[in-house]
Amino acid sequence: MSGNYMGDPGNSRNYSDETLKNNQNCCFWLYNLPPTVTVNDVLSNIRNCCRIASFSISKGEAKDLGHAGAKLVFITEQGAARFWNQYGLNPGSLIVGGRSVRIRRNRIRVAQLNVPIDRTRCICVEGQPHVVNETNMDQFFRSKLVFQMDEVLNHTRNDRVACLEFRFSSFVGQAQMAMGALLAEPQFRGLPYFRVRYMPDPCA
């Protein structure tokens, strides 16, 4: 682990699993990204691969090197293989901000996750509009966890029930925790129309 790492050193998934073969490594390093790149800039360009376990941008080198980097981890080996075949083996196939993104297997080797197929980084929250709105939900999530948001989609179809989809940058440590916090929160229990569920990952 890098001495500059600012995350949770107690999280075993932040350490390399040296027992893994290279093709079992679900973790990639993306570089030559624009210095001001956002989560959505990258993830909106990745399709037909797999559910994302985690995604984080590193801008520490942007000032010196003129580009940012990012760590991308997929939930399954098969999905990681699809990403590598589609983008890693085809230079110029992943373009972000006018730049051709360079891709390699990350030196921190990460194994696939054993989670149900419906678990993703995307959560749909339904309920009365005065409860389920972007401001209230953002405040709630910020009180429970640290996260980066890809995008928020509004699927509301009538004025009685609001329906918002929150696409976090990661399933691990973000959407997974957000779902747990929503289900455990006393203020939401018994509310009319209140419901939460996972949604498909658009990167899959």
Side-chain angles (χ1 to χ4, degrees), residues 178-194:
M179 176 64 80
L182 288 164
L183 294 174
E185 182 58 36
Q187 66 171 307
F188 297 144
R189 293 177 185 169
L191 289 181
Y193 311 118
F194 191 82

Side-chain angles (χ1 to χ4, degrees), residues 15-191:
Y15 292 85
S16 184
D17 184 346
E18 297 302 324
T19 66
L20 296 176
K21 297 178 181 178
N22 194 50
N23 63 0
Q24 294 176 308
N25 182 11
C26 295
C27 185
F28 297 90
W29 181 249
L30 281 55
Y31 56 110
N32 198 40
L33 294 165
T36 58
V37 70
T38 67
V39 172
N40 184 257
D41 289 339
V42 179
L43 297 190
S44 64
N45 283 287
I46 297 174
R47 293 293 183 266
N48 304 313
C49 292
C50 178
R51 295 169 293 155
I52 288 175
S54 63
F55 176 78
S56 59
I57 295 171
S58 174
K59 296 184 178 180
E61 300 176 338
K63 182 177 180 180
D64 297 330
L65 302 180
H67 65 79
K71 185 173 77 169
L72 173 64
V73 183
F74 290 97
I75 287 181
T76 69
E77 290 178 14
Q78 292 84 357
R82 282 194 294 270
F83 174 78
W84 181 248
N85 291 335
Q86 184 172 336
Y87 298 108
L89 296 179
N90 295 288
S93 58
L94 182 57
I95 305 295
V96 175
R99 296 189 178 201
S100 176
V101 180
R102 298 176 184 175
I103 303 166
R104 61 174 171 79
R105 297 270 185 177
N106 198 11
R107 62 183 179 83
I108 305 297
R109 299 187 178 192
V110 180
Q112 68 178 2
L113 283 174
N114 183 23
V115 295
I117 196 169
D118 67 324
R119 301 297 195 266
T120 73
R121 64 186 178 90
C122 307
I123 292 177
C124 182
V125 185
E126 293 180 84
Q128 294 171 302
H130 71 277
V131 175
V132 179
N133 56 71
E134 192 167 345
T135 299
N136 282 357
M137 290 294 100
D138 182 73
Q139 291 176 349
F140 174 77
F141 291 140
R142 290 186 186 281
S143 72
K144 302 295 183 180
L145 63 143
V146 176
F147 65 92
Q148 294 76 46
M149 193 64 68
D150 174 6
E151 60 182 334
V152 180
L153 303 180
N154 192 332
H155 300 304
T156 302
R157 296 185 178 181
N158 59 64
D159 57 6
R160 293 183 298 107
V161 183
C163 181
L164 299 180
E165 179 183 350
F166 297 89
R167 293 179 174 176
F168 293 87
S169 69
S170 303
F171 167 70
V172 176
Q174 294 189 29
Q176 187 179 35
M177 291 182 63
M179 176 64 80
L182 288 164
L183 294 174
E185 182 58 36
Q187 66 171 307
F188 297 144
R189 293 177 185 169
L191 289 181

